Amino acid sequence: MMSSTNFIALKSILHKEVHRFMRIWVQTLVPPAITISLYFVIFGSLIGSRIGQMGGFDYMSFIVPGLIMMSVITNSYSNVASSFFSAKWQRNVEEMLVAPVPNWVIVAGYVGGGMSRGILVGCIVTLIALFFTDIQIHNIWVILLTVSLTSAVFALGGLINAVFAGSFDDISIIPTFVLTPLTYLGGVFYSISLLPPFWQGVSQINPIVYMVNAFRYGFLGISDVELSTAFTVLGIFIIGLWATAMYLIKKGIGLRS
Amino acid sequence: MTPALEIKDLQKIYKGDFHALKGISLSVEQGDFFALLGPNGAGKSTTIGVITSLVNKTSGTVKVFGHDIDKALETAKSFIGLVPQEFNFNQFESLTRILVNQAGYYGVERNIAHKRAEKYLKQLDLWEKRDTPARMLSGGMKRRLMIARALMHEPKVLILDEPTAGVDIELRRSMWEFLRELNAEGITIILTTHYLEEAEMLCRNIAIIDNGQIVENTSMKQLLATLDIETFILDLPANSIQATLNDFSYRQIDDHTLEVDVKKTQGLNSVFAQLSEQGVQVLSMRNKSNRLEELFVRLVANKEPAA
Ligand SMILES: Nc1ncnc2c1ncn2[C@@H]1O[C@H](COP(=O)(O)OP(=O)(O)OP(=O)(O)O)[C@@H](O)[C@H]1O
Ligand SMILES: [Mg+2]
């Protein structure tokens, strides 16, 4: 049972985090909306019409879930990475460290903030998508569960990144060199089944493949992977990353000398 | 009564083998107004860092109102309000948000926190700035903001690391007044300072730390009593004659400045009497340096380890 002190502390961190990205909405909410609109225009409308069908759906409908997922992933990650790093940089992270806030509340608060931004941007992108195509929903619960778990995974990733980061450059390295490639190769733009067998095998070690496909299943009812496998992968990542984040904060890595 | 703060044999070795604290022991009684004094790099902030869990200690124990930070860290933390040496708030947030969030970390409900924020912002003369981003405050205002922040959860002990650094005289006095009132309300106050007169003005007990070690830990009164010589600088008219003073050690610095060492038992009357006998006029007079500073220099020099 959570004590009321911890509950209020958690609410405060969440409140602070949500207020942060809302305050700087021009930097946090507008760019993903523009980027994803461009994807819709270029891949969906211009090129998509020539590609024809993918997985039994027109190309635009096929990529919409993947593009929503892509924006959820980048935004939940970068929200926590920038926010926590800047709290370290400005040293206001000490406000939490001196207070009787348990580590799990700190982790949960930041992750909750990252999830909020990821999911909010996901909603914005979904609205934009409605200008380009109709969106059907096959199973809303799969959609909600996948988006929540995925945003949690990447919010945790962003937190761990920020803990180790020593400069602002360090929080853009992982998104540029790891997240973006994994996302592009994660079945956002194509069905894995189109790949030669070898590359299909390689794709199976890319966790984003599972997230994108589970999410797409929620909308279209099609998936390149088993749903149960996808949720197992998500679960394992959340547990592993949560444990890592807790360990790092407890040790005070990058926080206490 | 349990001490507000009890430190035993505290050691801190920073990464790279720097021995910043070499076995500090201290006890601060509840309700005390305590000064931790020492030169740059003595280990004051490190000590405070360990107490507030911003620095991992190497060994030793710290108890806050009897709660060991190794065993009951969260309880210990809840008693402490910290005003750190460096600004450490989010520069982009408004004052009110900074205060209300901080209260939240201690479990204070938002509506109560808003009332408290108003109270302290008004008391510390920051109310007008409540919606301003913190980075737009002046240095003195930022200090006061950190004091307000430290009080939001109504701590029992307030620890201030050089709260008046970079604060003008007038503001410093009003801060002193504010701290005295807090102390009168029963809050234990521990402060570090470089303004030695500050410790003398405010504090009842004092520890002097140098090079990671406590070199003196006593009451202010006793400390001042051991200081029996005071040096005065007398300003004389230009081209004054060489004066002679019996029973005093003195130095004629130039033709219009005289320095005199006066023992507590001697008093100043005799200095003036002798000078007027010789027809030397005294235009003005001031202390050569802070008494505490002299004392400090002496203490540290005496206890300097041989190596
Ligand atoms: N994070 C750190 N890593 C390594 N050494 C440190 C660290 N922080 C402080 N030190 C060293 O420890 C010693 C004590 O520093 P500390 O900040 O406690 O001094 P201080 O008494 O607060 O000085 P000041 O009056 O200048 O604030 C200094 O020599 C300092 O260089
Ligand atoms: Mg210091």
mmCIF file of all heavy atoms in Angstrom, chain B residues 105-124:
data_model
loop_
_atom_site.group_PDB
_atom_site.id
_atom_site.type_symbol
_atom_site.label_atom_id
_atom_site.label_comp_id
_atom_site.label_asym_id
_atom_site.label_seq_id
_atom_site.Cartn_x
_atom_site.Cartn_y
_atom_site.Cartn_z
ATOM 1 N N TYR B 105 7.289 16.876 -2.490
ATOM 2 C CA TYR B 105 8.253 15.797 -2.289
ATOM 3 C C TYR B 105 8.277 15.337 -0.827
ATOM 4 O O TYR B 105 8.721 14.240 -0.520
ATOM 5 C CB TYR B 105 9.675 16.219 -2.686
ATOM 6 C CG TYR B 105 9.794 16.659 -4.135
ATOM 7 C CD1 TYR B 105 10.800 17.533 -4.529
ATOM 8 C CD2 TYR B 105 8.910 16.195 -5.098
ATOM 9 C CE1 TYR B 105 10.913 17.944 -5.846
ATOM 10 C CE2 TYR B 105 9.015 16.601 -6.409
ATOM 11 C CZ TYR B 105 10.015 17.476 -6.783
ATOM 12 O OH TYR B 105 10.133 17.888 -8.071
ATOM 13 N N TYR B 106 7.827 16.227 0.060
ATOM 14 C CA TYR B 106 7.769 15.865 1.481
ATOM 15 C C TYR B 106 6.358 15.449 1.895
ATOM 16 O O TYR B 106 6.059 15.330 3.077
ATOM 17 C CB TYR B 106 8.222 17.044 2.343
ATOM 18 C CG TYR B 106 9.697 17.343 2.233
ATOM 19 C CD1 TYR B 106 10.186 18.161 1.226
ATOM 20 C CD2 TYR B 106 10.612 16.811 3.149
ATOM 21 C CE1 TYR B 106 11.541 18.438 1.113
ATOM 22 C CE2 TYR B 106 11.958 17.088 3.052
ATOM 23 C CZ TYR B 106 12.421 17.891 2.033
ATOM 24 O OH TYR B 106 13.753 18.175 1.929
ATOM 25 N N GLY B 107 5.488 15.301 0.903
ATOM 26 C CA GLY B 107 4.143 14.838 1.220
ATOM 27 C C GLY B 107 3.179 15.919 1.667
ATOM 28 O O GLY B 107 2.143 15.622 2.260
ATOM 29 N N VAL B 108 3.509 17.183 1.378
ATOM 30 C CA VAL B 108 2.590 18.264 1.748
ATOM 31 C C VAL B 108 1.571 18.447 0.615
ATOM 32 O O VAL B 108 1.960 18.634 -0.543
ATOM 33 C CB VAL B 108 3.354 19.589 1.981
ATOM 34 C CG1 VAL B 108 2.394 20.707 2.357
ATOM 35 C CG2 VAL B 108 4.428 19.406 3.040
ATOM 36 N N GLU B 109 0.310 18.400 0.944
ATOM 37 C CA GLU B 109 -0.758 18.564 -0.059
ATOM 38 C C GLU B 109 -0.639 19.915 -0.764
ATOM 39 O O GLU B 109 -0.231 20.908 -0.154
ATOM 40 C CB GLU B 109 -2.133 18.503 0.632
ATOM 41 C CG GLU B 109 -2.471 17.164 1.243
ATOM 42 C CD GLU B 109 -3.063 16.184 0.227
ATOM 43 O OE1 GLU B 109 -3.058 16.495 -0.979
ATOM 44 O OE2 GLU B 109 -3.524 15.114 0.667
ATOM 45 N N ARG B 110 -1.065 19.948 -2.019
ATOM 46 C CA ARG B 110 -0.893 21.167 -2.817
ATOM 47 C C ARG B 110 -1.587 22.390 -2.241
ATOM 48 O O ARG B 110 -1.040 23.484 -2.272
ATOM 49 C CB ARG B 110 -1.374 20.924 -4.255
ATOM 50 C CG ARG B 110 -0.286 20.325 -5.132
ATOM 51 C CD ARG B 110 -0.695 20.258 -6.584
ATOM 52 N NE ARG B 110 0.092 21.146 -7.444
ATOM 53 C CZ ARG B 110 1.366 20.957 -7.753
ATOM 54 N NH1 ARG B 110 2.035 19.959 -7.222
ATOM 55 N NH2 ARG B 110 2.005 21.796 -8.549
ATOM 56 N N ASN B 111 -2.806 22.212 -1.719
ATOM 57 C CA ASN B 111 -3.496 23.409 -1.218
ATOM 58 C C ASN B 111 -2.796 23.972 0.021
ATOM 59 O O ASN B 111 -2.667 25.188 0.168
ATOM 60 C CB ASN B 111 -4.985 23.111 -0.956
ATOM 61 C CG ASN B 111 -5.166 21.914 -0.043
ATOM 62 O OD1 ASN B 111 -4.211 21.162 0.197
ATOM 63 N ND2 ASN B 111 -6.351 21.720 0.477
ATOM 64 N N ILE B 112 -2.288 23.094 0.866
ATOM 65 C CA ILE B 112 -1.525 23.570 2.029
ATOM 66 C C ILE B 112 -0.223 24.210 1.547
ATOM 67 O O ILE B 112 0.181 25.275 2.023
ATOM 68 C CB ILE B 112 -1.210 22.402 2.985
ATOM 69 C CG1 ILE B 112 -2.512 21.775 3.483
ATOM 70 C CG2 ILE B 112 -0.350 22.860 4.156
ATOM 71 C CD1 ILE B 112 -2.312 20.532 4.313
ATOM 72 N N ALA B 113 0.400 23.568 0.568
ATOM 73 C CA ALA B 113 1.674 24.072 0.050
ATOM 74 C C ALA B 113 1.510 25.474 -0.537
ATOM 75 O O ALA B 113 2.370 26.331 -0.349
ATOM 76 C CB ALA B 113 2.224 23.116 -1.000
ATOM 77 N N HIS B 114 0.408 25.704 -1.230
ATOM 78 C CA HIS B 114 0.192 27.037 -1.805
ATOM 79 C C HIS B 114 0.103 28.091 -0.710
ATOM 80 O O HIS B 114 0.650 29.186 -0.851
ATOM 81 C CB HIS B 114 -1.076 27.048 -2.670
ATOM 82 C CG HIS B 114 -0.797 26.630 -4.088
ATOM 83 N ND1 HIS B 114 -0.175 27.472 -4.991
ATOM 84 C CD2 HIS B 114 -1.027 25.476 -4.751
ATOM 85 C CE1 HIS B 114 -0.052 26.835 -6.153
ATOM 86 N NE2 HIS B 114 -0.545 25.612 -6.031
ATOM 87 N N LYS B 115 -0.564 27.748 0.382
ATOM 88 C CA LYS B 115 -0.682 28.717 1.484
ATOM 89 C C LYS B 115 0.687 29.002 2.090
ATOM 90 O O LYS B 115 1.044 30.150 2.365
ATOM 91 C CB LYS B 115 -1.635 28.188 2.565
ATOM 92 C CG LYS B 115 -3.093 28.304 2.133
ATOM 93 C CD LYS B 115 -4.036 28.057 3.299
ATOM 94 C CE LYS B 115 -5.430 27.738 2.792
ATOM 95 N NZ LYS B 115 -5.846 26.341 3.035
ATOM 96 N N ARG B 116 1.449 27.926 2.291
ATOM 97 C CA ARG B 116 2.784 28.120 2.868
ATOM 98 C C ARG B 116 3.668 28.922 1.935
ATOM 99 O O ARG B 116 4.447 29.774 2.370
ATOM 100 C CB ARG B 116 3.444 26.776 3.135
ATOM 101 C CG ARG B 116 3.055 26.234 4.468
ATOM 102 C CD ARG B 116 3.902 25.020 4.809
ATOM 103 N NE ARG B 116 3.129 24.172 5.686
ATOM 104 C CZ ARG B 116 3.403 22.903 5.932
ATOM 105 N NH1 ARG B 116 4.443 22.334 5.363
ATOM 106 N NH2 ARG B 116 2.657 22.213 6.750
ATOM 107 N N ALA B 117 3.581 28.616 0.647
ATOM 108 C CA ALA B 117 4.407 29.334 -0.322
ATOM 109 C C ALA B 117 4.102 30.818 -0.229
ATOM 110 O O ALA B 117 5.017 31.652 -0.203
ATOM 111 C CB ALA B 117 4.146 28.821 -1.733
ATOM 112 N N GLU B 118 2.824 31.136 -0.127
ATOM 113 C CA GLU B 118 2.451 32.557 -0.024
ATOM 114 C C GLU B 118 3.066 33.174 1.224
ATOM 115 O O GLU B 118 3.676 34.241 1.180
ATOM 116 C CB GLU B 118 0.919 32.684 0.011
ATOM 117 C CG GLU B 118 0.476 34.124 0.203
ATOM 118 C CD GLU B 118 -1.037 34.314 0.087
ATOM 119 O OE1 GLU B 118 -1.734 33.358 -0.330
ATOM 120 O OE2 GLU B 118 -1.507 35.415 0.412
ATOM 121 N N LYS B 119 2.948 32.455 2.339
ATOM 122 C CA LYS B 119 3.486 32.962 3.608
ATOM 123 C C LYS B 119 4.987 33.257 3.492
ATOM 124 O O LYS B 119 5.443 34.352 3.814
ATOM 125 C CB LYS B 119 3.222 31.927 4.701
ATOM 126 C CG LYS B 119 3.868 32.234 6.044
ATOM 127 C CD LYS B 119 3.492 31.174 7.077
ATOM 128 C CE LYS B 119 4.626 30.914 8.044
ATOM 129 N NZ LYS B 119 4.425 29.683 8.828
ATOM 130 N N TYR B 120 5.738 32.274 3.008
ATOM 131 C CA TYR B 120 7.190 32.468 2.989
ATOM 132 C C TYR B 120 7.628 33.451 1.903
ATOM 133 O O TYR B 120 8.580 34.208 2.097
ATOM 134 C CB TYR B 120 7.908 31.126 2.840
ATOM 135 C CG TYR B 120 7.801 30.286 4.087
ATOM 136 C CD1 TYR B 120 7.216 29.031 4.071
ATOM 137 C CD2 TYR B 120 8.257 30.788 5.310
ATOM 138 C CE1 TYR B 120 7.090 28.271 5.220
ATOM 139 C CE2 TYR B 120 8.129 30.047 6.468
ATOM 140 C CZ TYR B 120 7.546 28.786 6.421
ATOM 141 O OH TYR B 120 7.417 28.055 7.566
ATOM 142 N N LEU B 121 6.945 33.438 0.767
ATOM 143 C CA LEU B 121 7.307 34.406 -0.273
ATOM 144 C C LEU B 121 7.074 35.823 0.239
ATOM 145 O O LEU B 121 7.857 36.738 -0.037
ATOM 146 C CB LEU B 121 6.494 34.159 -1.550
ATOM 147 C CG LEU B 121 6.916 32.936 -2.369
ATOM 148 C CD1 LEU B 121 5.955 32.686 -3.523
ATOM 149 C CD2 LEU B 121 8.340 33.099 -2.905
ATOM 150 N N LYS B 122 6.001 35.997 1.005
ATOM 151 C CA LYS B 122 5.755 37.336 1.562
ATOM 152 C C LYS B 122 6.803 37.685 2.610
ATOM 153 O O LYS B 122 7.375 38.764 2.580
ATOM 154 C CB LYS B 122 4.352 37.407 2.160
ATOM 155 C CG LYS B 122 3.285 37.555 1.072
ATOM 156 C CD LYS B 122 1.895 37.696 1.649
ATOM 157 C CE LYS B 122 0.917 38.009 0.503
ATOM 158 N NZ LYS B 122 -0.489 37.729 0.871
ATOM 159 N N GLN B 123 7.055 36.736 3.511
ATOM 160 C CA GLN B 123 8.037 37.015 4.569
ATOM 161 C C GLN B 123 9.407 37.327 4.000
ATOM 162 O O GLN B 123 10.156 38.118 4.557
ATOM 163 C CB GLN B 123 8.164 35.814 5.509
ATOM 164 C CG GLN B 123 7.040 35.725 6.504
ATOM 165 C CD GLN B 123 7.254 34.578 7.492
ATOM 166 O OE1 GLN B 123 8.320 33.990 7.538
ATOM 167 N NE2 GLN B 123 6.231 34.270 8.254
ATOM 168 N N LEU B 124 9.752 36.686 2.898
ATOM 169 C CA LEU B 124 11.089 36.876 2.348
ATOM 170 C C LEU B 124 11.081 37.885 1.204
ATOM 171 O O LEU B 124 12.044 37.988 0.445
ATOM 172 C CB LEU B 124 11.666 35.527 1.894
ATOM 173 C CG LEU B 124 12.071 34.648 3.070
ATOM 174 C CD1 LEU B 124 12.091 33.185 2.689
ATOM 175 C CD2 LEU B 124 13.429 35.078 3.617
#
